[in-house]
Amino acid sequence: MKTPANVYTDKLKWDDRYRRAGDTIGPPWPLVVRWAAKLAGPVLDVAGGSGRNALFLAEHGLEVHVIDISLAALQVLARQRRERQLQIFAVAADLEQFPLPRCRYGTVLVVRYLQRSLFSAIKAALRPGGLVLYESFIEDQKAFGHPSNPAHLLRRGELKHAFSDFELLEYEEGLLEDTTPAYLARLVARRPFTCDTVATP
Ligand SMILES: C[S@@+](CC[C@H](N)C(=O)[O-])C[C@H]1O[C@@H](n2cnc3c(N)ncnc32)[C@H](O)[C@@H]1O
C-alpha cells in the first residue's frame, strides 16, 4: 500500500500530465472496442483517467461510472460528456482509500492501473456473471524504461493467477501491440454466478 504522501505525489503528476494534454483524448482501448457489444452495464472504469473508454462505452448506450484521483482528468471528461450529451458518473477519489460497492457492476474495466490490494474489491464489485477487462504492464516493460517501479508492474502470470477463481475468456501476455508495442498482460474473465464464491476485501 502506498503512503498518503506517495499517492499525493502521483496525483500531482497525473494532474500535470492531463493539464498539459488539454482536451486531447486518445482512442478507446482496442479490447474495449472488440468487447463493447458483449458488455453489460453499469460499467465501472477504475482509474479511468479522462475517459477514452468511458466516453466510447457511454456512446454505446452503457451506464458508466469512472473513478480517478486526478481532478484535471475528470474535468476533461466532464467537458466531453457535456459536449457529447452523455451521462457518465465520475468520482474523484483515491482508490487506495475508496471502498468499491459490492455486487453492483456488469463490467469492471481497468486499463493500465495496478493496485494489487484492489483485486478482491474488483471481484466483489461485479455482479455474478459480470466481466472484468484488465490490462496492465508486466515487469519486462522495464526494458522500455517506463514504468519501472515494481509496484506498477505485474509479474509474469500474476494477473491470470489473481483471477483464477473467475472463468477465463481471454488472456494474452508478452510484447503486445496497442498504439505502440508494450509488455502487457491482458485479461477478460467472468465472475462465477454466485455472490459468495469470490474472495471479499
Ligand atoms: C496510465 S493512466 C490510465 C488511465 C485510463 N485507464 C486510460 O487507459 O486512459 C493511470 C490513471 O490512474 C490514476 N490514478 C493513479 N493513482 C490513483 C489512485 N490512487 N486512485 C485513483 N486513481 C489513480 C491516474 O490519475 C491516471 O488517470
Side-chain angles (χ1 to χ4, degrees), residues 2 7 10 14 18 45-49 52-53 67-70 73 93-96 111-113 115:
K2 289 182 180 171
V7 170
D10 275 1
W14 283 109
Y18 284 112
D45 190 355
V46 172
R52 61 182 175 133
N53 296 310
I67 303 175
D68 199 282
I69 200 168
S70 169
D94 171 13
L95 284 156
E96 301 272 354
V111 184
R112 301 190 183 201
Y113 178 72
Q115 183 188 319

mmCIF file with all atom_site columns, all heavy atoms in Angstrom, residues 2 7 10 14 18 45-49 52-53 67-70 73 93-96 111-113 115, ligand 1:
data_model
loop_
_atom_site.group_PDB
_atom_site.id
_atom_site.type_symbol
_atom_site.label_atom_id
_atom_site.label_alt_id
_atom_site.label_comp_id
_atom_site.label_asym_id
_atom_site.label_entity_id
_atom_site.label_seq_id
_atom_site.pdbx_PDB_ins_code
_atom_site.Cartn_x
_atom_site.Cartn_y
_atom_site.Cartn_z
_atom_site.occupancy
_atom_site.B_iso_or_equiv
_atom_site.pdbx_formal_charge
_atom_site.auth_seq_id
_atom_site.auth_comp_id
_atom_site.auth_asym_id
_atom_site.auth_atom_id
_atom_site.pdbx_PDB_model_num
ATOM   1   N N   . LYS A 1 2   ? 0.505   2.242  -0.854  1.00 0.00 ? 2   LYS A N   1
ATOM   2   C CA  . LYS A 1 2   ? 1.295   3.472  -0.928  1.00 0.00 ? 2   LYS A CA  1
ATOM   3   C C   . LYS A 1 2   ? 1.015   4.357  0.278   1.00 0.00 ? 2   LYS A C   1
ATOM   4   O O   . LYS A 1 2   ? -0.098  4.352  0.801   1.00 0.00 ? 2   LYS A O   1
ATOM   5   C CB  . LYS A 1 2   ? 0.910   4.238  -2.190  1.00 0.00 ? 2   LYS A CB  1
ATOM   6   C CG  . LYS A 1 2   ? 1.393   3.565  -3.454  1.00 0.00 ? 2   LYS A CG  1
ATOM   7   C CD  . LYS A 1 2   ? 1.017   4.416  -4.623  1.00 0.00 ? 2   LYS A CD  1
ATOM   8   C CE  . LYS A 1 2   ? 1.492   3.775  -5.903  1.00 0.00 ? 2   LYS A CE  1
ATOM   9   N NZ  . LYS A 1 2   ? 0.971   4.443  -7.077  1.00 0.00 ? 2   LYS A NZ  1
ATOM   10  N N   . VAL A 1 7   ? 0.864   8.841  -2.745  1.00 0.00 ? 7   VAL A N   1
ATOM   11  C CA  . VAL A 1 7   ? -0.378  8.977  -3.519  1.00 0.00 ? 7   VAL A CA  1
ATOM   12  C C   . VAL A 1 7   ? -0.548  10.427 -3.959  1.00 0.00 ? 7   VAL A C   1
ATOM   13  O O   . VAL A 1 7   ? -0.903  10.708 -5.109  1.00 0.00 ? 7   VAL A O   1
ATOM   14  C CB  . VAL A 1 7   ? -1.599  8.503  -2.682  1.00 0.00 ? 7   VAL A CB  1
ATOM   15  C CG1 . VAL A 1 7   ? -2.906  8.858  -3.376  1.00 0.00 ? 7   VAL A CG1 1
ATOM   16  C CG2 . VAL A 1 7   ? -1.522  7.009  -2.429  1.00 0.00 ? 7   VAL A CG2 1
ATOM   17  N N   . ASP A 1 10  ? 1.746   11.227 -6.787  1.00 0.00 ? 10  ASP A N   1
ATOM   18  C CA  . ASP A 1 10  ? 1.179   10.635 -8.016  1.00 0.00 ? 10  ASP A CA  1
ATOM   19  C C   . ASP A 1 10  ? 0.056   11.509 -8.564  1.00 0.00 ? 10  ASP A C   1
ATOM   20  O O   . ASP A 1 10  ? -0.031  11.755 -9.767  1.00 0.00 ? 10  ASP A O   1
ATOM   21  C CB  . ASP A 1 10  ? 0.561   9.266  -7.703  1.00 0.00 ? 10  ASP A CB  1
ATOM   22  C CG  . ASP A 1 10  ? 1.582   8.160  -7.731  1.00 0.00 ? 10  ASP A CG  1
ATOM   23  O OD1 . ASP A 1 10  ? 2.765   8.449  -7.977  1.00 0.00 ? 10  ASP A OD1 1
ATOM   24  O OD2 . ASP A 1 10  ? 1.185   7.002  -7.472  1.00 0.00 ? 10  ASP A OD2 1
ATOM   25  N N   . TRP A 1 14  ? -0.165  13.198 -12.241 1.00 0.00 ? 14  TRP A N   1
ATOM   26  C CA  . TRP A 1 14  ? -1.228  12.929 -13.211 1.00 0.00 ? 14  TRP A CA  1
ATOM   27  C C   . TRP A 1 14  ? -1.988  14.203 -13.568 1.00 0.00 ? 14  TRP A C   1
ATOM   28  O O   . TRP A 1 14  ? -2.307  14.435 -14.739 1.00 0.00 ? 14  TRP A O   1
ATOM   29  C CB  . TRP A 1 14  ? -2.177  11.849 -12.679 1.00 0.00 ? 14  TRP A CB  1
ATOM   30  C CG  . TRP A 1 14  ? -1.564  10.482 -12.817 1.00 0.00 ? 14  TRP A CG  1
ATOM   31  C CD1 . TRP A 1 14  ? -1.110  9.691  -11.806 1.00 0.00 ? 14  TRP A CD1 1
ATOM   32  C CD2 . TRP A 1 14  ? -1.297  9.783  -14.034 1.00 0.00 ? 14  TRP A CD2 1
ATOM   33  N NE1 . TRP A 1 14  ? -0.568  8.538  -12.327 1.00 0.00 ? 14  TRP A NE1 1
ATOM   34  C CE2 . TRP A 1 14  ? -0.684  8.564  -13.678 1.00 0.00 ? 14  TRP A CE2 1
ATOM   35  C CE3 . TRP A 1 14  ? -1.526  10.051 -15.377 1.00 0.00 ? 14  TRP A CE3 1
ATOM   36  C CZ2 . TRP A 1 14  ? -0.287  7.628  -14.630 1.00 0.00 ? 14  TRP A CZ2 1
ATOM   37  C CZ3 . TRP A 1 14  ? -1.126  9.115  -16.325 1.00 0.00 ? 14  TRP A CZ3 1
ATOM   38  C CH2 . TRP A 1 14  ? -0.522  7.925  -15.948 1.00 0.00 ? 14  TRP A CH2 1
ATOM   39  N N   . TYR A 1 18  ? -2.398  15.531 -17.387 1.00 0.00 ? 18  TYR A N   1
ATOM   40  C CA  . TYR A 1 18  ? -3.695  15.760 -18.045 1.00 0.00 ? 18  TYR A CA  1
ATOM   41  C C   . TYR A 1 18  ? -3.874  17.227 -18.432 1.00 0.00 ? 18  TYR A C   1
ATOM   42  O O   . TYR A 1 18  ? -4.423  17.521 -19.492 1.00 0.00 ? 18  TYR A O   1
ATOM   43  C CB  . TYR A 1 18  ? -4.847  15.291 -17.144 1.00 0.00 ? 18  TYR A CB  1
ATOM   44  C CG  . TYR A 1 18  ? -4.993  13.780 -17.118 1.00 0.00 ? 18  TYR A CG  1
ATOM   45  C CD1 . TYR A 1 18  ? -4.724  13.042 -15.966 1.00 0.00 ? 18  TYR A CD1 1
ATOM   46  C CD2 . TYR A 1 18  ? -5.393  13.080 -18.260 1.00 0.00 ? 18  TYR A CD2 1
ATOM   47  C CE1 . TYR A 1 18  ? -4.855  11.657 -15.949 1.00 0.00 ? 18  TYR A CE1 1
ATOM   48  C CE2 . TYR A 1 18  ? -5.524  11.693 -18.249 1.00 0.00 ? 18  TYR A CE2 1
ATOM   49  C CZ  . TYR A 1 18  ? -5.252  10.993 -17.081 1.00 0.00 ? 18  TYR A CZ  1
ATOM   50  O OH  . TYR A 1 18  ? -5.369  9.618  -17.074 1.00 0.00 ? 18  TYR A OH  1
ATOM   51  N N   . ASP A 1 45  ? -15.274 2.064  -14.566 1.00 0.00 ? 45  ASP A N   1
ATOM   52  C CA  . ASP A 1 45  ? -13.955 2.265  -15.159 1.00 0.00 ? 45  ASP A CA  1
ATOM   53  C C   . ASP A 1 45  ? -13.012 2.722  -14.036 1.00 0.00 ? 45  ASP A C   1
ATOM   54  O O   . ASP A 1 45  ? -13.067 3.865  -13.594 1.00 0.00 ? 45  ASP A O   1
ATOM   55  C CB  . ASP A 1 45  ? -14.053 3.295  -16.293 1.00 0.00 ? 45  ASP A CB  1
ATOM   56  C CG  . ASP A 1 45  ? -12.780 3.384  -17.116 1.00 0.00 ? 45  ASP A CG  1
ATOM   57  O OD1 . ASP A 1 45  ? -11.782 2.716  -16.759 1.00 0.00 ? 45  ASP A OD1 1
ATOM   58  O OD2 . ASP A 1 45  ? -12.783 4.117  -18.128 1.00 0.00 ? 45  ASP A OD2 1
ATOM   59  N N   . VAL A 1 46  ? -12.189 1.788  -13.583 1.00 0.00 ? 46  VAL A N   1
ATOM   60  C CA  . VAL A 1 46  ? -11.305 2.028  -12.440 1.00 0.00 ? 46  VAL A CA  1
ATOM   61  C C   . VAL A 1 46  ? -10.068 2.797  -12.909 1.00 0.00 ? 46  VAL A C   1
ATOM   62  O O   . VAL A 1 46  ? -9.387  2.346  -13.845 1.00 0.00 ? 46  VAL A O   1
ATOM   63  C CB  . VAL A 1 46  ? -10.872 0.663  -11.825 1.00 0.00 ? 46  VAL A CB  1
ATOM   64  C CG1 . VAL A 1 46  ? -9.797  0.845  -10.773 1.00 0.00 ? 46  VAL A CG1 1
ATOM   65  C CG2 . VAL A 1 46  ? -12.083 -0.060 -11.238 1.00 0.00 ? 46  VAL A CG2 1
ATOM   66  N N   . ALA A 1 47  ? -9.786  3.940  -12.291 1.00 0.00 ? 47  ALA A N   1
ATOM   67  C CA  . ALA A 1 47  ? -8.681  4.792  -12.718 1.00 0.00 ? 47  ALA A CA  1
ATOM   68  C C   . ALA A 1 47  ? -8.851  5.112  -14.211 1.00 0.00 ? 47  ALA A C   1
ATOM   69  O O   . ALA A 1 47  ? -7.937  4.930  -15.012 1.00 0.00 ? 47  ALA A O   1
ATOM   70  C CB  . ALA A 1 47  ? -7.322  4.146  -12.423 1.00 0.00 ? 47  ALA A CB  1
ATOM   71  N N   . GLY A 1 48  ? -10.032 5.588  -14.533 1.00 0.00 ? 48  GLY A N   1
ATOM   72  C CA  . GLY A 1 48  ? -10.437 5.765  -15.939 1.00 0.00 ? 48  GLY A CA  1
ATOM   73  C C   . GLY A 1 48  ? -9.880  7.006  -16.615 1.00 0.00 ? 48  GLY A C   1
ATOM   74  O O   . GLY A 1 48  ? -10.126 7.235  -17.797 1.00 0.00 ? 48  GLY A O   1
ATOM   75  N N   . GLY A 1 49  ? -9.137  7.830  -15.884 1.00 0.00 ? 49  GLY A N   1
ATOM   76  C CA  . GLY A 1 49  ? -8.486  8.989  -16.494 1.00 0.00 ? 49  GLY A CA  1
ATOM   77  C C   . GLY A 1 49  ? -9.491  9.941  -17.119 1.00 0.00 ? 49  GLY A C   1
ATOM   78  O O   . GLY A 1 49  ? -10.578 10.191 -16.582 1.00 0.00 ? 49  GLY A O   1
ATOM   79  N N   . ARG A 1 52  ? -11.249 7.990  -22.120 1.00 0.00 ? 52  ARG A N   1
ATOM   80  C CA  . ARG A 1 52  ? -11.275 7.498  -23.510 1.00 0.00 ? 52  ARG A CA  1
ATOM   81  C C   . ARG A 1 52  ? -12.182 6.269  -23.646 1.00 0.00 ? 52  ARG A C   1
ATOM   82  O O   . ARG A 1 52  ? -12.893 6.112  -24.640 1.00 0.00 ? 52  ARG A O   1
ATOM   83  C CB  . ARG A 1 52  ? -9.855  7.191  -24.007 1.00 0.00 ? 52  ARG A CB  1
ATOM   84  C CG  . ARG A 1 52  ? -9.128  6.117  -23.228 1.00 0.00 ? 52  ARG A CG  1
ATOM   85  C CD  . ARG A 1 52  ? -7.719  5.916  -23.747 1.00 0.00 ? 52  ARG A CD  1
ATOM   86  N NE  . ARG A 1 52  ? -6.975  4.967  -22.940 1.00 0.00 ? 52  ARG A NE  1
ATOM   87  C CZ  . ARG A 1 52  ? -6.250  3.976  -23.430 1.00 0.00 ? 52  ARG A CZ  1
ATOM   88  N NH1 . ARG A 1 52  ? -6.171  3.816  -24.735 1.00 0.00 ? 52  ARG A NH1 1
ATOM   89  N NH2 . ARG A 1 52  ? -5.593  3.168  -22.637 1.00 0.00 ? 52  ARG A NH2 1
ATOM   90  N N   . ASN A 1 53  ? -12.195 5.388  -22.643 1.00 0.00 ? 53  ASN A N   1
ATOM   91  C CA  . ASN A 1 53  ? -13.039 4.196  -22.717 1.00 0.00 ? 53  ASN A CA  1
ATOM   92  C C   . ASN A 1 53  ? -14.464 4.478  -22.232 1.00 0.00 ? 53  ASN A C   1
ATOM   93  O O   . ASN A 1 53  ? -15.424 3.963  -22.803 1.00 0.00 ? 53  ASN A O   1
ATOM   94  C CB  . ASN A 1 53  ? -12.409 3.070  -21.890 1.00 0.00 ? 53  ASN A CB  1
ATOM   95  C CG  . ASN A 1 53  ? -11.080 2.661  -22.494 1.00 0.00 ? 53  ASN A CG  1
ATOM   96  O OD1 . ASN A 1 53  ? -10.993 2.417  -23.691 1.00 0.00 ? 53  ASN A OD1 1
ATOM   97  N ND2 . ASN A 1 53  ? -10.039 2.632  -21.668 1.00 0.00 ? 53  ASN A ND2 1
ATOM   98  N N   . ILE A 1 67  ? -13.921 6.253  -11.711 1.00 0.00 ? 67  ILE A N   1
ATOM   99  C CA  . ILE A 1 67  ? -13.226 6.730  -10.505 1.00 0.00 ? 67  ILE A CA  1
ATOM   100 C C   . ILE A 1 67  ? -11.788 7.037  -10.912 1.00 0.00 ? 67  ILE A C   1
ATOM   101 O O   . ILE A 1 67  ? -11.132 6.211  -11.582 1.00 0.00 ? 67  ILE A O   1
ATOM   102 C CB  . ILE A 1 67  ? -13.208 5.661  -9.386  1.00 0.00 ? 67  ILE A CB  1
ATOM   103 C CG1 . ILE A 1 67  ? -14.628 5.227  -9.025  1.00 0.00 ? 67  ILE A CG1 1
ATOM   104 C CG2 . ILE A 1 67  ? -12.481 6.206  -8.148  1.00 0.00 ? 67  ILE A CG2 1
ATOM   105 C CD1 . ILE A 1 67  ? -14.694 4.086  -8.023  1.00 0.00 ? 67  ILE A CD1 1
ATOM   106 N N   . ASP A 1 68  ? -11.312 8.198  -10.525 1.00 0.00 ? 68  ASP A N   1
ATOM   107 C CA  . ASP A 1 68  ? -9.909  8.542  -10.772 1.00 0.00 ? 68  ASP A CA  1
ATOM   108 C C   . ASP A 1 68  ? -9.481  9.588  -9.747  1.00 0.00 ? 68  ASP A C   1
ATOM   109 O O   . ASP A 1 68  ? -10.295 10.406 -9.308  1.00 0.00 ? 68  ASP A O   1
ATOM   110 C CB  . ASP A 1 68  ? -9.715  9.089  -12.192 1.00 0.00 ? 68  ASP A CB  1
ATOM   111 C CG  . ASP A 1 68  ? -8.262  9.004  -12.632 1.00 0.00 ? 68  ASP A CG  1
ATOM   112 O OD1 . ASP A 1 68  ? -7.454  9.868  -12.206 1.00 0.00 ? 68  ASP A OD1 1
ATOM   113 O OD2 . ASP A 1 68  ? -7.908  8.073  -13.381 1.00 0.00 ? 68  ASP A OD2 1
ATOM   114 N N   . ILE A 1 69  ? -8.205  9.577  -9.429  1.00 0.00 ? 69  ILE A N   1
ATOM   115 C CA  . ILE A 1 69  ? -7.707  10.531 -8.428  1.00 0.00 ? 69  ILE A CA  1
ATOM   116 C C   . ILE A 1 69  ? -7.469  11.918 -9.015  1.00 0.00 ? 69  ILE A C   1
ATOM   117 O O   . ILE A 1 69  ? -7.406  12.908 -8.302  1.00 0.00 ? 69  ILE A O   1
ATOM   118 C CB  . ILE A 1 69  ? -6.407  9.994  -7.784  1.00 0.00 ? 69  ILE A CB  1
ATOM   119 C CG1 . ILE A 1 69  ? -6.153  10.685 -6.441  1.00 0.00 ? 69  ILE A CG1 1
ATOM   120 C CG2 . ILE A 1 69  ? -5.205  10.141 -8.720  1.00 0.00 ? 69  ILE A CG2 1
ATOM   121 C CD1 . ILE A 1 69  ? -5.062  10.030 -5.614  1.00 0.00 ? 69  ILE A CD1 1
ATOM   122 N N   . SER A 1 70  ? -7.353  12.001 -10.352 1.00 0.00 ? 70  SER A N   1
ATOM   123 C CA  . SER A 1 70  ? -6.968  13.266 -10.978 1.00 0.00 ? 70  SER A CA  1
ATOM   124 C C   . SER A 1 70  ? -8.192  14.114 -11.325 1.00 0.00 ? 70  SER A C   1
ATOM   125 O O   . SER A 1 70  ? -8.966  13.770 -12.238 1.00 0.00 ? 70  SER A O   1
ATOM   126 C CB  . SER A 1 70  ? -6.150  12.993 -12.252 1.00 0.00 ? 70  SER A CB  1
ATOM   127 O OG  . SER A 1 70  ? -6.020  14.199 -12.967 1.00 0.00 ? 70  SER A OG  1
ATOM   128 N N   . ALA A 1 73  ? -8.102  15.250 -14.932 1.00 0.00 ? 73  ALA A N   1
ATOM   129 C CA  . ALA A 1 73  ? -8.607  14.256 -15.891 1.00 0.00 ? 73  ALA A CA  1
ATOM   130 C C   . ALA A 1 73  ? -10.135 14.288 -15.921 1.00 0.00 ? 73  ALA A C   1
ATOM   131 O O   . ALA A 1 73  ? -10.755 14.292 -16.997 1.00 0.00 ? 73  ALA A O   1
ATOM   132 C CB  . ALA A 1 73  ? -8.121  12.864 -15.491 1.00 0.00 ? 73  ALA A CB  1
ATOM   133 N N   . ALA A 1 93  ? -11.445 10.273 -6.501  1.00 0.00 ? 93  ALA A N   1
ATOM   134 C CA  . ALA A 1 93  ? -11.135 9.592  -5.237  1.00 0.00 ? 93  ALA A CA  1
ATOM   135 C C   . ALA A 1 93  ? -9.835  8.817  -5.369  1.00 0.00 ? 93  ALA A C   1
ATOM   136 O O   . ALA A 1 93  ? -9.429  8.418  -6.465  1.00 0.00 ? 93  ALA A O   1
ATOM   137 C CB  . ALA A 1 93  ? -12.267 8.630  -4.875  1.00 0.00 ? 93  ALA A CB  1
ATOM   138 N N   . ASP A 1 94  ? -9.216  8.613  -4.209  1.00 0.00 ? 94  ASP A N   1
ATOM   139 C CA  . ASP A 1 94  ? -8.004  7.793  -4.126  1.00 0.00 ? 94  ASP A CA  1
ATOM   140 C C   . ASP A 1 94  ? -8.432  6.345  -3.928  1.00 0.00 ? 94  ASP A C   1
ATOM   141 O O   . ASP A 1 94  ? -9.011  5.990  -2.899  1.00 0.00 ? 94  ASP A O   1
ATOM   142 C CB  . ASP A 1 94  ? -7.172  8.290  -2.929  1.00 0.00 ? 94  ASP A CB  1
ATOM   143 C CG  . ASP A 1 94  ? -6.011  7.374  -2.622  1.00 0.00 ? 94  ASP A CG  1
ATOM   144 O OD1 . ASP A 1 94  ? -5.691  6.509  -3.461  1.00 0.00 ? 94  ASP A OD1 1
ATOM   145 O OD2 . ASP A 1 94  ? -5.416  7.545  -1.541  1.00 0.00 ? 94  ASP A OD2 1
ATOM   146 N N   . LEU A 1 95  ? -8.133  5.513  -4.921  1.00 0.00 ? 95  LEU A N   1
ATOM   147 C CA  . LEU A 1 95  ? -8.571  4.112  -4.860  1.00 0.00 ? 95  LEU A CA  1
ATOM   148 C C   . LEU A 1 95  ? -7.874  3.321  -3.753  1.00 0.00 ? 95  LEU A C   1
ATOM   149 O O   . LEU A 1 95  ? -8.322  2.227  -3.401  1.00 0.00 ? 95  LEU A O   1
ATOM   150 C CB  . LEU A 1 95  ? -8.358  3.436  -6.214  1.00 0.00 ? 95  LEU A CB  1
ATOM   151 C CG  . LEU A 1 95  ? -9.388  3.826  -7.275  1.00 0.00 ? 95  LEU A CG  1
ATOM   152 C CD1 . LEU A 1 95  ? -8.844  3.638  -8.683  1.00 0.00 ? 95  LEU A CD1 1
ATOM   153 C CD2 . LEU A 1 95  ? -10.669 3.008  -7.088  1.00 0.00 ? 95  LEU A CD2 1
ATOM   154 N N   . GLU A 1 96  ? -6.805  3.869  -3.212  1.00 0.00 ? 96  GLU A N   1
ATOM   155 C CA  . GLU A 1 96  ? -6.157  3.208  -2.061  1.00 0.00 ? 96  GLU A CA  1
ATOM   156 C C   . GLU A 1 96  ? -7.070  3.298  -0.832  1.00 0.00 ? 96  GLU A C   1
ATOM   157 O O   . GLU A 1 96  ? -6.899  2.551  0.124   1.00 0.00 ? 96  GLU A O   1
ATOM   158 C CB  . GLU A 1 96  ? -4.817  3.880  -1.727  1.00 0.00 ? 96  GLU A CB  1
ATOM   159 C CG  . GLU A 1 96  ? -3.804  3.883  -2.856  1.00 0.00 ? 96  GLU A CG  1
ATOM   160 C CD  . GLU A 1 96  ? -2.928  2.631  -2.871  1.00 0.00 ? 96  GLU A CD  1
ATOM   161 O OE1 . GLU A 1 96  ? -3.022  1.821  -1.945  1.00 0.00 ? 96  GLU A OE1 1
ATOM   162 O OE2 . GLU A 1 96  ? -2.160  2.491  -3.842  1.00 0.00 ? 96  GLU A OE2 1
ATOM   163 N N   . VAL A 1 111 ? -7.626  -0.269 -17.059 1.00 0.00 ? 111 VAL A N   1
ATOM   164 C CA  . VAL A 1 111 ? -6.646  -0.150 -18.134 1.00 0.00 ? 111 VAL A CA  1
ATOM   165 C C   . VAL A 1 111 ? -5.431  0.601  -17.624 1.00 0.00 ? 111 VAL A C   1
ATOM   166 O O   . VAL A 1 111 ? -5.512  1.774  -17.269 1.00 0.00 ? 111 VAL A O   1
ATOM   167 C CB  . VAL A 1 111 ? -7.230  0.591  -19.361 1.00 0.00 ? 111 VAL A CB  1
ATOM   168 C CG1 . VAL A 1 111 ? -6.208  0.604  -20.492 1.00 0.00 ? 111 VAL A CG1 1
ATOM   169 C CG2 . VAL A 1 111 ? -8.501  -0.079 -19.816 1.00 0.00 ? 111 VAL A CG2 1
ATOM   170 N N   . ARG A 1 112 ? -4.327  -0.119 -17.545 1.00 0.00 ? 112 ARG A N   1
ATOM   171 C CA  . ARG A 1 112 ? -3.028  0.457  -17.196 1.00 0.00 ? 112 ARG A CA  1
ATOM   172 C C   . ARG A 1 112 ? -3.030  1.121  -15.823 1.00 0.00 ? 112 ARG A C   1
ATOM   173 O O   . ARG A 1 112 ? -2.585  2.257  -15.669 1.00 0.00 ? 112 ARG A O   1
ATOM   174 C CB  . ARG A 1 112 ? -2.529  1.368  -18.318 1.00 0.00 ? 112 ARG A CB  1
ATOM   175 C CG  . ARG A 1 112 ? -2.405  0.545  -19.595 1.00 0.00 ? 112 ARG A CG  1
ATOM   176 C CD  . ARG A 1 112 ? -1.716  1.228  -20.705 1.00 0.00 ? 112 ARG A CD  1
ATOM   177 N NE  . ARG A 1 112 ? -1.724  0.351  -21.887 1.00 0.00 ? 112 ARG A NE  1
ATOM   178 C CZ  . ARG A 1 112 ? -0.918  0.441  -22.893 1.00 0.00 ? 112 ARG A CZ  1
ATOM   179 N NH1 . ARG A 1 112 ? -0.017  1.377  -22.918 1.00 0.00 ? 112 ARG A NH1 1
ATOM   180 N NH2 . ARG A 1 112 ? -1.003  -0.404 -23.908 1.00 0.00 ? 112 ARG A NH2 1
ATOM   181 N N   . TYR A 1 113 ? -3.562  0.411  -14.889 1.00 0.00 ? 113 TYR A N   1
ATOM   182 C CA  . TYR A 1 113 ? -3.512  0.836  -13.484 1.00 0.00 ? 113 TYR A CA  1
ATOM   183 C C   . TYR A 1 113 ? -3.341  -0.430 -12.663 1.00 0.00 ? 113 TYR A C   1
ATOM   184 O O   . TYR A 1 113 ? -4.107  -1.384 -12.845 1.00 0.00 ? 113 TYR A O   1
ATOM   185 C CB  . TYR A 1 113 ? -4.798  1.551  -13.088 1.00 0.00 ? 113 TYR A CB  1
ATOM   186 C CG  . TYR A 1 113 ? -4.809  1.956  -11.623 1.00 0.00 ? 113 TYR A CG  1
ATOM   187 C CD1 . TYR A 1 113 ? -4.005  3.008  -11.181 1.00 0.00 ? 113 TYR A CD1 1
ATOM   188 C CD2 . TYR A 1 113 ? -5.588  1.272  -10.693 1.00 0.00 ? 113 TYR A CD2 1
ATOM   189 C CE1 . TYR A 1 113 ? -3.992  3.376  -9.845  1.00 0.00 ? 113 TYR A CE1 1
ATOM   190 C CE2 . TYR A 1 113 ? -5.584  1.633  -9.354  1.00 0.00 ? 113 TYR A CE2 1
ATOM   191 C CZ  . TYR A 1 113 ? -4.782  2.685  -8.937  1.00 0.00 ? 113 TYR A CZ  1
ATOM   192 O OH  . TYR A 1 113 ? -4.760  3.049  -7.614  1.00 0.00 ? 113 TYR A OH  1
ATOM   193 N N   . GLN A 1 115 ? -3.071  -1.833 -8.827  1.00 0.00 ? 115 GLN A N   1
ATOM   194 C CA  . GLN A 1 115 ? -3.107  -1.703 -7.369  1.00 0.00 ? 115 GLN A CA  1
ATOM   195 C C   . GLN A 1 115 ? -3.506  -3.090 -6.869  1.00 0.00 ? 115 GLN A C   1
ATOM   196 O O   . GLN A 1 115 ? -4.689  -3.461 -6.884  1.00 0.00 ? 115 GLN A O   1
ATOM   197 C CB  . GLN A 1 115 ? -4.124  -0.627 -6.963  1.00 0.00 ? 115 GLN A CB  1
ATOM   198 C CG  . GLN A 1 115 ? -4.164  -0.375 -5.468  1.00 0.00 ? 115 GLN A CG  1
ATOM   199 C CD  . GLN A 1 115 ? -5.315  0.540  -5.090  1.00 0.00 ? 115 GLN A CD  1
ATOM   200 O OE1 . GLN A 1 115 ? -5.611  1.531  -5.768  1.00 0.00 ? 115 GLN A OE1 1
ATOM   201 N NE2 . GLN A 1 115 ? -6.004  0.206  -4.015  1.00 0.00 ? 115 GLN A NE2 1
HETATM 202 C C1  . LIG B 2 .   ? -1.991  5.167  -17.157 1.00 0.00 ? 1   LIG B C1  1
HETATM 203 S S1  . LIG B 2 .   ? -3.357  6.153  -16.635 1.00 0.00 ? 1   LIG B S1  1
HETATM 204 C C2  . LIG B 2 .   ? -4.680  5.192  -17.305 1.00 0.00 ? 1   LIG B C2  1
HETATM 205 C C3  . LIG B 2 .   ? -5.938  5.973  -17.483 1.00 0.00 ? 1   LIG B C3  1
HETATM 206 C C4  . LIG B 2 .   ? -7.078  5.232  -18.210 1.00 0.00 ? 1   LIG B C4  1
HETATM 207 N N1  . LIG B 2 .   ? -7.357  3.954  -17.578 1.00 0.00 ? 1   LIG B N1  1
HETATM 208 C C5  . LIG B 2 .   ? -6.753  5.058  -19.664 1.00 0.00 ? 1   LIG B C5  1
HETATM 209 O O1  . LIG B 2 .   ? -6.491  3.925  -20.073 1.00 0.00 ? 1   LIG B O1  1
HETATM 210 O O2  . LIG B 2 .   ? -6.768  6.038  -20.387 1.00 0.00 ? 1   LIG B O2  1
HETATM 211 C C6  . LIG B 2 .   ? -3.444  5.786  -14.877 1.00 0.00 ? 1   LIG B C6  1
HETATM 212 C C7  . LIG B 2 .   ? -4.574  6.518  -14.147 1.00 0.00 ? 1   LIG B C7  1
HETATM 213 O O3  . LIG B 2 .   ? -4.569  6.133  -12.771 1.00 0.00 ? 1   LIG B O3  1
HETATM 214 C C8  . LIG B 2 .   ? -4.980  7.254  -11.994 1.00 0.00 ? 1   LIG B C8  1
HETATM 215 N N2  . LIG B 2 .   ? -4.545  7.010  -10.617 1.00 0.00 ? 1   LIG B N2  1
HETATM 216 C C9  . LIG B 2 .   ? -3.257  6.904  -10.157 1.00 0.00 ? 1   LIG B C9  1
HETATM 217 N N3  . LIG B 2 .   ? -3.260  6.651  -8.827  1.00 0.00 ? 1   LIG B N3  1
HETATM 218 C C10 . LIG B 2 .   ? -4.574  6.606  -8.429  1.00 0.00 ? 1   LIG B C10 1
HETATM 219 C C11 . LIG B 2 .   ? -5.227  6.385  -7.182  1.00 0.00 ? 1   LIG B C11 1
HETATM 220 N N4  . LIG B 2 .   ? -4.536  6.159  -6.053  1.00 0.00 ? 1   LIG B N4  1
HETATM 221 N N5  . LIG B 2 .   ? -6.575  6.404  -7.144  1.00 0.00 ? 1   LIG B N5  1
HETATM 222 C C12 . LIG B 2 .   ? -7.301  6.650  -8.268  1.00 0.00 ? 1   LIG B C12 1
HETATM 223 N N6  . LIG B 2 .   ? -6.738  6.852  -9.493  1.00 0.00 ? 1   LIG B N6  1
HETATM 224 C C13 . LIG B 2 .   ? -5.395  6.832  -9.576  1.00 0.00 ? 1   LIG B C13 1
HETATM 225 C C14 . LIG B 2 .   ? -4.292  8.427  -12.680 1.00 0.00 ? 1   LIG B C14 1
HETATM 226 O O4  . LIG B 2 .   ? -4.878  9.665  -12.366 1.00 0.00 ? 1   LIG B O4  1
HETATM 227 C C15 . LIG B 2 .   ? -4.437  8.032  -14.159 1.00 0.00 ? 1   LIG B C15 1
HETATM 228 O O5  . LIG B 2 .   ? -5.603  8.591  -14.715 1.00 0.00 ? 1   LIG B O5  1
#
